[in-house]
Amino acid sequence: MTAMDDIIEGQEALSFGTWLLTQITEDGWIGDLAKAAKADRSFPRNGDPDAVRLHLSSKQADSDMFEALDAAEIAWLRR
């Protein structure tokens, strides 16, 4: 195993929820979603995008948050 393999495995192990919390300095929807997630004590930090969708649904989040979540999921998959 090379050092690059370790980096790639580490990136894959980073859950969506954890990754999202690192995006609080981003401008726009993703940053707004990250800030809201950080303020929410029940946010699924180790969750995947579907767990976050369920959480947002349970909180009756507005449609903008779901659009932000879709954009964040795409960015997370591209990393």
Side-chain angles (χ1 to χ4, degrees), residues 11-12 14-17 19-20 23 30 48-50 53 69-79:
Q11 287 179 345
E12 290 172 359
L14 188 64
S15 72
F16 175 74
W19 172 85
L20 182 60
Q23 304 303 303
I30 294 175
D48 63 9
D50 289 334
R53 276 187 191 85
L69 177 57
D70 292 341
E73 182 177 11
I74 291 167
W76 177 68
L77 291 171
R78 289 184 179 167
R79 63 178 168 72

Side-chain angles (χ1 to χ4, degrees), residues 62-74:
D62 62 31
S63 62
D64 288 346
M65 284 291 133
F66 288 97
E67 288 184 47
L69 177 57
D70 292 341
E73 182 177 11
I74 291 167

Side-chain angles (χ1 to χ4, degrees), residues 16-31:
F16 175 74
T18 301
W19 172 85
L20 182 60
L21 292 171
T22 68
Q23 304 303 303
I24 60 171
T25 59
E26 291 295 313
D27 290 329
W29 287 2
I30 294 175

